């Protein structure tokens, strides 16, 4: 062990936000140049029962960056966070000394940790330029390293990349002395990358050690030592570390801020290729300083450390799908000689024979053009026969389709698709223009042939007709494995940023088989899909399908005549529509012509999912499709369907606390985790005294995982073999599930938990109330129940998800009536012009936004 001399408890000038001053210490350790150097470090002083985290900051930050981990890791883990030499409060170079190189920094870090006695199990942690230094340090100690954590860093320039533009700018000889050393521009600009802005005291703390040019010298030296080209002195060392990282065969965690303008998606992809065992969690909204922007990074690291000590159970507990091994395209191939209509969508039609032929040729063409198994294809194509062809061809070629509703808006779609790590993008001209504006990665494939100048402008390398011609007559690609990914589907974003949900071929097929068996779909059926997730399932069911002439991501645009026309196009016997679509259908039923009524009279089954459908609406729908059995399956993007209930069964169940969504389907298990007894896990029967809790689902068709959301996935699967839905509710004595709201919308008062749906139902029973939202205002545990109502005569509750909703005090008589109907203590009854709704279904109330606006109103703002 090298000599180490502790010379102080730390030079921090005053208390800093979030930092325990007892962590601060200085030690003296000889460096590789033979000189003693004074290091400053933060050390939580814990006994390393399980091991030690060595946290390395980048440029121009310091060990303050790791204060969350110092105070938040599980017991038994020591955390050491040194200030790199020349940085933070560690020793500066003399005027006559040459700058430290990356090789020296890696070696000197090793001398420090050796001197500190870090010789047991270790986990390397690094950010920014500290990433490659921490990984280089780990490679030198691989016999002790049990894990690696990195956040927004790079170890190499991906092929074709010239380095982060902001770093290259700072690297410029004319800019570096002024921007990095003479002035604090570079220091201050780094903390300014966060959005929303960091608190001023935190920004000041990050900049505190760099108060003058002398103390900023190494900020400029650090930038100068980044090797952008082979001629740079540090290039061989960095290239060697980057290559050798591939052999660091330990579990890894990548914490990533997707809004980082420095280390973007290509750097994340490069790191994943080098560390294939890595778990990845993208903290949506976070930028470069992911540890500042995403406080949840502490939870992610803590979970990672727990898994190192106690590896999680395998997926063996997940129920496996039983079936014939059919694929999503099996039914399509079985009808390859059938000239009957297969799909009517987007103003076009295609027969089974032509669809099967084009899918086969396009699949072969995609493979011939370089699309590899596992490649991800972003779809920016409206529902149409072309879209159906692309999806099934991609699946047949082994590619993965990535689908995000345009209802998410430009920013939401950009965030989702950029997070989908795309290899290719398929779209019409407008879609490809949007892809360029979003900065999506990947090659471009146009749905239609484009003029050469337009194709060049949009970066288009192929079009569908060219790929079909390329694959015509070619040998079919090998079938992908059933357990390979087939789709990344994004959630609606109704309860936070849209999440990518990964499905394998086996799970998607299990979903198709379950729906077909549950609703007895046979070759004589045909269906209308006015609900986006099911718009592509017709060929998988082996039945004709039609998409109404509407934007399926705006379901409230469906009218009764448009539904009837879509049904007439395929002689539909089945309809799948969202609740918002059904409300609009009911509102426009008087516009139907006699032939249109006849077309709807042929429907034997109508399903609606995505949000609860009130009984009065279902009864009105029954008048529009008089021959149909009405069903409302319950599920979510992660598992649809899970339960089912018919109109007759809803009537039989009667009123209750929440919405009755029926019994579990064949092969599906439903459990409820009681509030206050979370350690018990899911209970598959009615709880005593009507107890409620989080709803969990176990079934073969449940999602494989959340994509690049490792912490979210880990939480959702914390009960082995189950998916935690985030919904709350209860099972009754008849085995029926009642949904009472979202876990994040539960009101936690001093007297206990209040779920919102039952409160809202009772409030909406009051004459003069057209809609209601029950929310909590105040700190969790002492929240006050507030009911926001939309009085009769206010503007429509379906007027969009965002913007002010006009919260104000309710009429006193109306407020008294609401309180009496609710039967639970209500702190305030407020009125609003409307309730904000989700973008996909136009049905789910955004209670979080209602609570925010209600709190502002009650505070006098």
């Amino acid at each position: 062990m090298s000599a180490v001399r502790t010379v102080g408890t730390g030079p921090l000038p005053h208390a800093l936000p979030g930092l325990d001053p007892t962590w601060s210490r200085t030690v003296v350790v000889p460096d590789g140049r033979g000189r003693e150097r004074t290091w400053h470090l933060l050390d939580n002083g814990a006994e390393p029962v399980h091991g030690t985290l060595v946290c390395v900051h980048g440029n121009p930050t310091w060990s303050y960056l790791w204060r969350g981990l110092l105070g938040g890791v599980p017991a038994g883990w020591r955390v050491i966070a040194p200030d790199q030499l020349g940085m933070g409060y560690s020793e500066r170079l003399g005027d006559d000394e040459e700058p430290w190189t990356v090789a020296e920094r890696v070696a000197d870090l090793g001398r420090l940790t050796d001197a500190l006695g870090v010789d047991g199990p270790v986990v390397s942690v690094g950010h920014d330029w500290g990433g490659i230094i921490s990984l280089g340090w780990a490679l030198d100690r691989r016999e002790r390293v049990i894990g690696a954590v990195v956040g927004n860093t790079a170890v190499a320039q991906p092929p074709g990349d010239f380095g982060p533009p902001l770093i290259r700018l700072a690297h410029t000889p004319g800019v570096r002395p002024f921007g990095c050393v003479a002035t604090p521009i570079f220091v201050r600009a780094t903390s300014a990358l966060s959005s929303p802005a960091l608190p001023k005291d935190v920004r000041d703390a990050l900049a505190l050690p760099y108060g003058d040019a002398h103390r900023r010298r190494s900020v400029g030296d650090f930038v100068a030592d980044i090797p952008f080209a082979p001629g740079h002195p540090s290039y061989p060392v960095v290239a060697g570390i980057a290559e050798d990282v591939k052999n660091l065969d330990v579990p890894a965690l990548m914490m990533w801020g997707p809004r980082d303008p420095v280390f973007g998606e290509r750097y994340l992809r490069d790191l994943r290729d080098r560390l294939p065992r890595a778990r990845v969690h993208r903290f949506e909204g976070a930028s470069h300083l992911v540890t500042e922007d995403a406080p949840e990074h502490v939870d992610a690291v803590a979970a990672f450390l727990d898994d190192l000590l106690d590896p999680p159970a395998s997926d063996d507990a997940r129920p496996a799908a039983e079936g014939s091994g059919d694929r999503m395209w099996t039914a399509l191939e079985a009808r390859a000689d059938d000239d009957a209509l297969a799909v009517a969508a987007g103003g076009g039609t295609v027969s089974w024979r032509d669809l099967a032929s084009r899918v086969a040729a396009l699949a072969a063409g995609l493979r011939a053009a370089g699309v590899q198994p596992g490649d991800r294809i972003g779809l920016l194509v409206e529902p149409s026969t072309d879209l159906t062809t692309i999806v099934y061809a991609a699946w047949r070629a082994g590619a993965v389709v990535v689908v995000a509703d345009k209802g998410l808006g430009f920013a939401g779609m950009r965030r989702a698709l950029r997070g989908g790590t795309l290899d290719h993008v398929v779209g019409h001209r407008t879609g490809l223009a949007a892809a360029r504006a979003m900065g999506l990665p990947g090659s471009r494939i146009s749905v239609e042939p484009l003029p050469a100048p337009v194709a060049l402008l949009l970066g288009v390398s192929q079009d569908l007709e060219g790929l079909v011609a390329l694959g015509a007559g070619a040998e079919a690609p090998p079938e992908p494995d059933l357990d390979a990914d087939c789709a990344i589907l994004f959630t609606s974003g109704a309860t936070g940023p849209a999440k990518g949900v990964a499905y394998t071929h086996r799970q998607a097929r299990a979903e198709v088989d379950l729906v077909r068996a549950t609703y007895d779909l046979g070759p004589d059926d045909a269906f209308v899909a006015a609900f986006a997730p099911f718009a592509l399932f017709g060929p998988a069911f082996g039945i004709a399908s039609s998409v109404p002439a509407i934007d399926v991501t705006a379901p409230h645009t469906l009218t009764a005549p448009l539904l009837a026309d879509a049904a007439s196009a395929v002689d539909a016997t089945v309809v799948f529509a969202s609740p918002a679509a059904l409300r609009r259908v009911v509102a426009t039923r008087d516009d139907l012509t006699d032939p249109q009524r006849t077309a709807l009279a042929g429907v034997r089954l109508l399903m609606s999912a995505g949000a609860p459908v009130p009984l009065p609406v279902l009864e009105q729908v029954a008048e529009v499709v008089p021959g149909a059995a009405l069903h409302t399956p319950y599920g979510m993007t992660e598992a649809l369907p899970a339960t089912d209930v018919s109109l007759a069964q809803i009537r039989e169940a009667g009123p209750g606390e929440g919405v009755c969504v029926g019994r579990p389907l064949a092969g599906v298990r439903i459990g409820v985790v009681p509030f206050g007894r979370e350690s018990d896990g899911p209970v598959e029967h009615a709880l005593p005294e009507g107890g409620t809790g989080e709803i969990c689902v176990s079934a073969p068709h449940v999602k494989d995982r959340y994509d690049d959301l490792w912490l979210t996935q880990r939480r959702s699967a914390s009960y082995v073999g189950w998916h935690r839905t985030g919904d709350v509710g209860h099972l009754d004595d008849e085995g029926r599930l009642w949904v009472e709201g979202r876990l994040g919308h539960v009101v936690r008062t001093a007297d206990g938990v209040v779920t919102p749906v039952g409160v809202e139902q009772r409030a909406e029973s009051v004459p003069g109330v057209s809609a209601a939202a029950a929310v909590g205002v105040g700190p969790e545990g002492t929240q006050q129940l507030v009911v926001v109502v939309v009085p009769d005569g206010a503007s429509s509750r379906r007027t969009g998800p965002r913007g002010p909703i006009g919260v104000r005090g309710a009429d006193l008589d109306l407020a008294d009536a609401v309180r009496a109907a609710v039967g639970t203590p209500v702190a305030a009854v407020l009125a609003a012009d409307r309730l904000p709704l989700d973008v996909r279904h136009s049905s789910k109330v955004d209670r979080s936004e209602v609570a925010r606006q209600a709190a502002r109103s009650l505070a006098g703002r």
Side-chain angles (χ1 to χ4, degrees):
M1 180 183 297
S2 302
V4 59
R5 178 161 51 92
T6 300
V7 297
T9 56
L12 301 183
H14 53 74
L16 299 178
L19 186 64
D20 184 340
T22 65
W23 295 335
S24 178
R25 58 185 289 208
T26 53
V27 297
V28 175
V29 179
D31 70 359
R33 300 179 182 181
R35 294 187 56 172
E36 288 194 333
R37 300 291 186 181
T38 301
W39 293 73
H40 172 251
L41 64 140
L42 300 178
D43 183 348
N44 69 353
E47 182 66 27
V49 175
H50 304 309
T52 302
L53 279 68
V54 177
C55 304
V56 187
H57 66 84
N59 184 35
T61 54
W62 59 290
S63 55
Y64 182 72
L65 197 72
W66 304 113
R67 64 195 182 282
L69 292 184
L70 282 148
V73 295
W77 289 94
R78 182 185 182 189
V79 181
I80 295 172
D83 289 348
Q84 297 198 54
L85 291 174
M87 307 293 289
Y89 287 100
S90 287
E91 184 174 327
R92 266 39 180 184
L93 279 169
D95 293 339
D96 58 340
E97 291 188 88
E98 291 294 316
W100 282 290
T101 65
V102 64
E104 289 179 300
R105 290 188 177 280
V106 170
D108 284 343
L109 177 62
R111 292 184 178 91
L112 172 67
T113 55
D114 288 348
L116 292 171
V118 180
D119 56 1
V122 292
V123 175
S124 68
V125 185
H127 173 263
D128 187 77
W129 197 229
I132 195 165
I133 293 170
S134 70
L135 290 170
W137 173 87
L139 289 168
D140 289 343
R141 287 154 183 77
R142 66 186 75 196
E143 72 282 354
R144 308 179 205 167
V145 173
I146 61 172
V149 178
V150 295
N152 287 73
T153 187
V155 296
Q157 288 173 224
D161 184 78
F162 298 102
L166 292 178
I167 302 299
R168 289 193 70 90
L169 176 63
H171 199 272
T172 306
V175 173
R176 187 174 67 247
F178 176 78
C180 298
V181 181
T183 69
I185 291 175
F186 189 67
V187 171
R188 287 290 184 174
T190 300
S191 62
L193 293 174
S194 295
S195 177
L198 296 176
K200 182 179 183 301
D201 57 354
V202 171
R203 298 198 308 273
D204 290 345
L206 286 166
L208 195 60
Y210 304 109
D212 57 46
H214 170 69
R215 299 194 62 79
R216 289 192 293 268
R217 174 186 165 179
S218 282
V219 172
D221 291 343
F222 239 131
V223 172
D225 194 40
I226 299 174
F228 287 119
H232 191 286
S234 287
Y235 188 88
V237 175
V238 171
I241 293 174
E243 188 62 27
D244 208 14
V245 162
K246 298 176 181 178
N247 301 316
L248 188 63
D249 188 24
V250 295
L253 171 65
M254 296 179 190
M255 310 181 298
W256 210 260
R259 298 184 64 171
D260 187 355
V262 181
F263 297 117
E265 299 296 330
R266 66 188 69 184
Y267 295 98
L268 174 59
R269 178 173 296 199
D270 179 78
L271 280 170
R272 295 174 69 139
D273 290 343
R274 296 172 190 277
L275 292 167
R277 293 183 59 185
R279 294 94 159 146
V280 178
H281 190 92
R282 297 165 56 88
F283 292 95
E284 293 300 340
S287 185
H288 180 64
L289 296 180
V290 63
T291 59
E292 299 295 330
D293 297 352
E296 257 197 324
H297 79 277
V298 177
D299 296 334
V301 174
F304 177 70
L305 297 176
D306 286 344
D307 286 357
L308 289 179
L309 301 178
D310 184 17
S314 69
D315 286 343
D316 293 343
R318 293 170 60 109
E322 296 181 4
S324 61
D326 285 353
R327 309 303 181 100
M328 295 295 282
W329 56 86
T330 299
L332 171 61
E333 292 181 345
R335 300 192 66 170
D337 295 327
D338 190 342
D339 288 317
L341 177 66
V343 178
T349 61
V350 64
S351 70
W352 289 102
R353 182 191 299 274
D354 289 343
L355 180 60
S357 173
R358 283 181 63 79
V359 165
L362 182 55
L366 288 169
R367 289 299 296 273
V371 175
Q372 298 299 310
D375 277 5
R376 294 188 173 191
I377 302 179
L379 302 180
L380 294 174
V381 184
E382 298 287 347
S384 59
T385 57
D386 283 330
L387 177 59
T388 303
T389 303
I390 294 162
V391 168
Y392 282 83
W395 284 339
R396 184 64 186 83
V400 183
V401 297
V402 181
V403 183
D405 284 355
K406 69 178 184 180
L408 293 174
F410 182 84
M413 281 194 72
R414 180 181 184 272
R415 181 173 58 240
L417 292 173
R418 283 176 64 87
T421 58
L422 303 180
D423 299 287
H424 315 278
V425 177
V426 181
H428 289 283
R429 185 183 312 205
T430 53
L432 295 173
R436 177 173 285 278
M438 293 178 190
L440 300 184
S443 71
R444 301 295 196 259
I445 301 171
S446 174
V447 172
E448 69 269 281
L450 296 174
V454 177
L456 181 64
L457 178 65
L458 297 178
V460 171
S461 58
Q462 303 281 352
D463 61 60
L464 287 196
E465 293 308 317
L467 291 173
V468 168
L470 182 64
E475 184 178 353
E479 289 194 341
D481 189 278
L482 276 169
D483 293 314
D485 287 352
C486 75
I488 307 295
L489 309 176
F490 281 87
T491 61
S492 66
T495 55
K499 299 182 288 290
V501 178
Y503 274 93
T504 64
H505 287 271
R506 189 186 303 277
Q507 291 153 351
R509 187 69 223 184
E511 181 176 9
V512 167
D513 291 343
L514 178 62
V515 172
R516 185 162 55 187
T518 299
Y519 300 107
D520 194 25
L521 301 181
D524 295 331
D525 280 312
F527 85 105
V528 174
F531 180 56
F534 275 76
L536 295 167
F537 275 14
F541 291 137
I543 63 178
S545 61
S546 174
V547 178
I550 63 165
D551 179 354
V552 294
T553 64
H556 58 278
T557 60
L558 181 67
T559 64
L562 289 174
L563 177 63
D565 291 343
S568 179
V570 291
D571 294 327
T573 58
V574 178
V575 169
F576 207 116
S578 75
L582 293 182
R583 288 190 180 93
R584 181 67 175 154
V585 166
V586 168
T588 56
R589 57 186 166 174
D590 292 341
D591 298 334
L592 290 167
T593 65
D594 288 340
Q596 288 172 331
R597 294 179 192 278
T598 300
L600 292 177
V603 174
R604 69 168 183 85
L605 170 69
L606 184 144
M607 297 176 283
S608 182
V613 187
L615 178 59
V617 174
L618 282 177
E619 290 175 332
Q620 292 173 319
V621 172
E623 298 174 7
V624 182
V625 282
L630 271 59
H631 287 253
T632 60
Y634 161 75
M636 60 287 303
T637 307
E638 298 88 341
L640 180 68
T643 70
D644 179 79
V645 66
S646 67
L647 173 57
Q649 291 167 337
I650 293 173
R651 290 170 174 156
E652 177 188 347
E657 189 68 18
V659 176
C660 180
V661 296
R663 296 177 176 85
L665 298 177
V668 178
R669 297 167 61 198
I670 297 291
V672 173
V673 180
F675 286 125
R677 292 162 46 197
E678 283 76 12
S679 61
D680 293 351
V683 178
E684 297 179 67
H685 55 75
L687 298 169
E689 300 178 357
T692 191
E694 183 178 8
I695 299 168
C696 297
V697 178
S698 178
H701 66 290
V702 170
K703 61 127 171 64
D704 188 68
R705 66 192 184 282
Y706 288 116
D707 188 51
D708 283 356
L709 293 170
W710 173 76
L711 182 61
T712 305
Q713 169 58 25
R714 187 181 185 276
R715 288 171 173 169
S716 77
S718 59
Y719 302 114
V720 177
W722 294 89
H723 166 66
R724 298 176 60 176
T725 67
D727 289 336
V728 294
H730 69 276
L731 289 161
D732 66 18
D733 292 334
E734 301 295 325
R736 296 173 298 210
L737 178 65
W738 295 73
V739 177
E740 302 178 46
R742 291 287 297 172
L743 186 62
H745 298 160
V746 167
V747 183
R748 301 179 186 272
T749 73
D751 297 323
V753 167
V754 178
T755 56
V757 172
V759 173
E760 293 164 357
Q761 289 173 324
R762 293 190 287 277
E764 289 172 352
S765 71
V766 174
V769 174
S770 65
V775 300
V777 172
E780 188 171 302
T782 59
Q783 286 182 314
Q784 301 298 307
L785 177 62
V786 175
V787 178
V788 179
V789 300
V790 178
D792 286 344
S795 59
S796 169
R797 65 180 299 203
R798 290 176 289 280
T799 54
R802 295 179 175 85
I805 58 175
V807 178
R808 57 194 180 278
D811 175 83
L812 291 181
D813 290 339
L814 182 62
D816 288 343
V818 168
R819 284 191 169 92
V822 167
T824 299
V826 177
V829 179
L830 303 175
D833 296 328
R834 63 179 181 90
L835 297 179
L837 306 177
D838 70 292
V839 293
R840 175 177 291 175
H841 308 291
S842 295
S843 300
K844 297 179 181 177
V845 174
D846 185 349
R847 296 188 186 93
S848 297
E849 178 61 17
V850 174
R852 188 187 70 81
Q853 296 195 37
R856 287 179 57 85
S857 176
L858 291 170
R861 298 196 297 272

